[in-house]
Amino acid sequence: MTLISSALGGWLAGALSDRIGRVRTLQLTILWFSGFTFICAFAQTFPQLLAAKALQGFGFGGEWAAGAVLMAETISPENRGKAMGAVQSAWAVGWGAAVLLYAAAFSWLPTDTAWRVMFGVGLLPAVLVLYVRRNLREPVRTAPADKPEKAPLLLQVAEIFRPQVLKTTLIGMLLGTGAHGGYYAIMIWLPTFLSKERHLSVLNTGAYLAVVIVAFWCGCIASAYLLDRIGRRRNVALFAFWCIVTVLAYVMLPLSNVQMLVLGFPLGFFAAGIPASLGALFNELYPAQMRGTGVGFCYNFGRIASAAFPVMVGYMSHSMSLGAAIGIDAAVAYGLAMVSVLFLPETRGKRLRPTSPEQTPGSADGADLALSRARSQR
């Protein structure tokens, strides 16, 4: 429920950011997410918790969409990839903090109370709204001279299927599906694979969890640097290729417990590099008036469609080993990401003008792109 609602929330929040502004939408999504996370702590039945988690998901997905567009339009073209990839790495920091909080809560409190405390802490991000209101300014947006009447929100979200950007949207959907599909195929089935086929307890150790978290952070940081160094397309294709190599080695080779622990680092490292690339890439593909809608849709469509990949792993495991099913399924997903990104234009250094559609290289924006690259080289 959270996965589906967060994907829908990201799409709708992206469209809302095109309508009422990036900063205001970010404030609303932070408050929404924090509020419903806090409400989860007071659930008395499973249906109540399910409903609260579904509503929480709208804010969870919406925060990323609004925040990613805000950052893309604020950071300079030369540093956009590094900044957005670095912010994505903070996921690992929050992950580690949650693990420590979990250990403390369930060590010091009764189980029936500890999980409620975990949800209650979710109210703290609401404090960020005070910072957002004081310190973040809405990026400059040039309105059309005739100021046409705003279309209903549901019609606005369909703007990304106009003929001018339809190809971009379709390829973005495939890229998002492959990027998320490979990750979910591995991470959802990995515990079962390690315990049932390899008979390893490595996943239950603190050492393994630490390796995965550190690997995710390192992968995001490396991807952030490479985005502005070698470009968006090459970076995604590079990480997707090595994802295929590492996952096949992980599930096919006869590895020991210690070897599994060691190989867990490159597995998490390369899996993190693609999500860290998507924020900068998707933002640079769409014109300003539909940028939020496009970013929110492409990223979150992939999250919903990617659910098919772990389902396929379960289906395929009836006729082959679970390891082979995971390897083939994840390789297909990452292969889809690697191929689809090659059909997108390279957008490194692109200036995001606060006007209607960005021009193609060779026009005024093409000159800006060349100038920004020359400055970067100097």
Side-chain angles (χ1 to χ4, degrees):
M1 288 298 296
T2 306
L3 177 64
I4 295 174
S5 63
S6 63
L8 295 175
W11 187 11
L12 293 175
L16 191 64
S17 72
D18 288 334
R19 191 179 186 90
I20 68 173
R22 321 308 192 194
V23 174
R24 187 181 301 178
T25 303
L26 182 61
Q27 294 176 32
L28 292 175
T29 53
I30 291 174
L31 290 174
W32 183 285
F33 168 72
S34 301
F36 280 103
T37 303
F38 186 69
I39 289 174
C40 287
F42 299 95
Q44 301 299 311
T45 64
F46 179 75
Q48 290 178 6
L49 180 61
L50 191 66
K53 281 288 291 177
L55 291 169
Q56 175 211 45
F58 282 100
F60 176 74
E63 276 187 271
W64 187 93
V69 178
L70 175 62
M71 283 197 61
E73 294 181 342
T74 304
I75 303 297
S76 65
E78 296 82 3
N79 299 306
R80 187 179 295 125
K82 289 189 286 288
M84 299 190 72
V87 169
Q88 188 80 16
S89 73
W91 177 281
V93 178
W95 188 359
V99 170
L100 296 177
L101 178 62
Y102 170 86
F106 281 83
S107 297
W108 299 337
L109 300 172
T111 302
D112 290 342
T113 303
W115 71 266
R116 296 185 186 276
V117 171
M118 293 285 290
F119 276 119
V121 173
L123 189 63
L124 292 179
V127 180
L128 290 174
V129 172
L130 300 177
Y131 176 86
V132 172
R133 290 179 63 87
R134 287 187 176 186
N135 298 281
L136 296 187
R137 295 183 179 181
E138 183 68 25
V140 177
R141 305 176 69 193
T142 304
D146 53 358
K147 294 183 179 180
E149 184 178 351
K150 292 181 179 179
L153 185 62
L154 292 179
L155 292 180
Q156 181 181 329
V157 299
E159 285 288 295
I160 57 174
F161 295 100
R162 289 168 48 189
Q164 297 91 327
V165 292
L166 178 60
K167 178 182 175 182
T168 295
T169 299
L170 294 177
I171 297 175
M173 292 165 60
L174 293 176
L175 175 56
T177 300
H180 290 98
Y183 183 84
Y184 289 133
I186 297 170
M187 297 305 172
I188 288 179
W189 283 102
L190 192 59
T192 305
F193 168 73
L194 292 177
S195 62
K196 300 299 182 183
E197 287 203 356
R198 294 296 175 89
H199 307 289
L200 302 177
S201 60
V202 62
L203 195 70
N204 297 322
T205 66
Y208 183 86
L209 193 57
V211 167
V212 172
I213 293 174
V214 172
F216 188 95
W217 184 86
C218 293
C220 288
I221 295 298
S223 179
Y225 173 79
L226 290 174
L227 276 171
D228 291 328
R229 185 76 175 178
I230 66 175
R232 296 10 176 175
R233 297 169 68 226
R234 289 182 179 178
N235 188 65
V236 172
L238 177 67
F239 273 89
F241 171 78
W242 283 108
C243 279
I244 296 173
V245 173
T246 52
V247 70
L248 289 177
Y250 198 83
V251 299
M252 299 294 186
L253 297 179
L255 303 175
S256 67
N257 203 330
V258 175
Q259 290 170 334
M260 280 282 183
L261 179 66
V262 173
L263 193 57
F265 185 90
L267 187 70
F269 179 91
F270 291 115
I274 302 177
S277 307
L278 297 183
L281 174 59
F282 284 155
N283 271 285
E284 293 163 347
L285 293 174
Y286 286 95
Q289 75 273 15
M290 63 176 72
R291 182 169 295 130
T293 308
V295 171
F297 176 78
C298 289
Y299 187 86
N300 289 289
F301 175 87
R303 296 176 68 185
I304 295 179
S306 64
F309 285 92
V311 172
M312 284 300 299
V313 171
Y315 178 79
M316 293 165 61
S317 65
H318 291 293
S319 58
M320 63 182 70
S321 68
L322 180 59
I326 294 174
I328 294 173
D329 201 64
V332 169
Y334 285 126
L336 176 63
M338 183 171 62
V339 173
S340 60
V341 76
L342 300 180
F343 289 91
L344 292 174
E346 177 54 57
T347 57
R348 177 180 55 164
K350 186 174 184 179
R351 295 186 179 275
L352 302 183
R353 293 186 179 278
T355 54
S356 57
E358 280 86 354
Q359 298 163 338
T360 56
S363 60
D365 252 4
D368 284 343
L369 179 58
L371 180 60
S372 66
R373 287 182 178 173
R375 288 174 176 170
S376 178
Q377 291 173 357
R378 289 201 299 270

